[in-house]
Amino acid sequence: MIDFKVIGTPILLRNIKKIDPESIEAYIETGGYEALKKALKKSPDELLEEVKKSELRGRGGAGFPTGIKFEIAKNQKETPKFVVVNAEEGEPGTFKDRIILENDPHLVIEGAILAAYIIGANYGYIAIRPDYTLAIKRLEKAIQDAYKYGFLGDNILGSNFSFHLKIKRGAGAYICGEETALLEMIEGKRGEPRKKPPFPPQKGLYGKPTVVNNVETLANLPFIIYYGSEEFKKYGVEGSYGTKLFCMSGDVSWKGIIEIPFGVKLSEIISLAGGVKGGKLKAVILGGVSGSLVKYDEVDIEVDYHSLGRIQAGPGCGTIIVLNDKRDIVDVCENIMRFFKDESCGKCFPCRLGTEASYRIIKKIKEKKANLHDLFNLERICKTMKNASFCGLGQTAPNIILQSLQKFKDEWLSHIS
Ligand SMILES: Cc1cc2nc3c(=O)[nH]c(=O)nc-3n(C[C@H](O)[C@H](O)[C@H](O)COP(=O)(O)O)c2cc1C
Ligand code: SF4
């Protein structure tokens, strides 16, 4: 099992390794489904206010305010409405959703039911990557048990609220984590992104209002609804409330998941993971390979949206890939662009051609066969991809390359013949 650590008091990992993940009774004994019982005594409007006041932001990468998303979906007249749990988790180095789903599946199910009650959805899907077999097995059992206990189905716990939840095995492609491609995939079509707007809360699954939320985002809802937004905001710092899961990998002594309240320093998180392995710290890939590159002299920074924004970084989906000083930055970038070229869905040409062309140039640079003109072209292609691509994949694929060209310019130049 993937190991985990916590700074402070956990919200999301509170049940991990403490309860039997296959037992709904064990979840109930720890206060599970109490938030749902409490919620059903209140109006969806009251609960929406609570989520908005909590200032919870999406944990899938973009950090969009969850309450606002719910409000948009709730205000739509069209029915039926849907809740989609995004459990695709395709970002390299990310495995936090897996940990929650395998070890505390009811936490996510309860979160999805709460979201559905707030927006008025009667149907939901957990869209999960197909290789998360243990998580799928445990979710299947957990959903069955939740139906048996009357937490799912018609007239939940005697109320007039009904919600049905199903598992949808994903296609295993990175692009299927993008919310509109995910909806296409659930509808049985090829997983390609849709044009936005309209956004899913306006026009989502089968053209109906839909909230798509990350597993970790929804796992916060039982706490917020049961204890209230005030309690939630005791964790974290202004503008970044609650806790966040980070997946530690790369050149670090300990690999696993760390739950921290927002505001803890990046350097502290790396120390908790036993520090850098095999050399000195060179950089951190933060928030996924579509995220940002934090240089060794920048890691003494608080991990929250505002502080990280000052160095053009962000927590993203919660990935910390540590690079030691033996790593060649060009080699790292080649790996990253190889991933994006393979995962580009091909729908738009800035990304389809841009990922391929930039990969070829990086490879040439790595082999020391490139000149300054190639380096200039790489930067130009990356900027075009960022500005002109149709969806988030192409818009973020060049992030690390562009940041490394600034932060490790000399290293790139040392490869030029
Ligand atoms: C290429 C791409 C892949 C994505 N993959 C995921 C993913 O695996 N899981 C996820 O929750 N969000 C992923 N996202 C973000 C989703 O589009 C969406 O913003 C998120 O599910 C919204 O949930 P949140 O508001 O709870 O963060 C991806 C985005 C892009 C552009
Ligand atoms: S940016 Fe890439 S992944 Fe997104 S639509 Fe264009 S080709 Fe497909």
Side-chain angles (χ1 to χ4, degrees), residues 175 193 343-348 351-352 389-395:
I175 190 59
E343 293 296 331
S344 167
C345 82
K347 180 175 170 139
C348 73
C351 169
R352 184 180 68 237
S389 291
F390 183 77
C391 86
L393 189 150
Q395 289 157 9

Side-chain angles (χ1 to χ4, degrees), residues 57-66 69 86-91 96-97 174-180 182 196 212-218 317 340 391-394 396:
R57 295 173 69 155
R59 308 302 199 221
F64 190 80
T66 309
K69 191 184 275 191
N86 191 342
E88 277 293 314
E89 198 162 54
E91 188 72 41
K96 66 184 178 71
D97 296 340
Y174 177 65
I175 190 59
C176 287
E178 195 281 335
E179 56 184 3
T180 59
L182 188 73
K196 293 191 269 191
V212 181
N213 274 118
N214 174 254
V215 166
E216 184 185 345
T217 311
L218 293 172
C317 58
F340 283 118
C391 86
L393 189 150
T396 59

Side-chain angles (χ1 to χ4, degrees), residues 44-45 48-49 51-52 64-83 115-116 118-121 179 196-204 207-213:
D45 280 323
L48 176 64
E49 268 323 294
V51 177
K52 279 169 72 183
F64 190 80
T66 309
I68 307 284
K69 191 184 275 191
F70 286 3
E71 188 169 39
I72 299 169
K74 187 175 185 305
N75 286 343
Q76 305 301 311
K77 297 271 176 292
E78 282 233 50
T79 55
K81 295 179 185 178
F82 295 94
V83 169
I118 294 171
I119 70 155
E179 56 184 3
K196 293 191 269 191
F199 295 95
Q202 302 162 305
K203 223 174 167 29
K208 304 292 182 187
T210 305
V211 294
V212 181
N213 274 118

Side-chain angles (χ1 to χ4, degrees), residues 2 58 124 126 132 153 157 166 201 212 249 259 265 294 360 409:
I2 296 165
I126 300 177
Y132 276 10
L157 300 175
K166 276 187 181 170
V212 181
S249 66
E259 179 170 1
K265 286 194 170 168
V294 180
R360 267 192 276 116
K409 193 174 172 185

Side-chain angles (χ1 to χ4, degrees), residues 347-366:
K347 180 175 170 139
C348 73
F349 66 82
C351 169
R352 184 180 68 237
L353 304 181
T355 50
E356 182 68 46
S358 49
Y359 169 70
R360 267 192 276 116
I361 298 175
I362 299 169
K363 198 163 177 288
K364 200 170 155 193
I365 294 173
K366 192 180 130 183

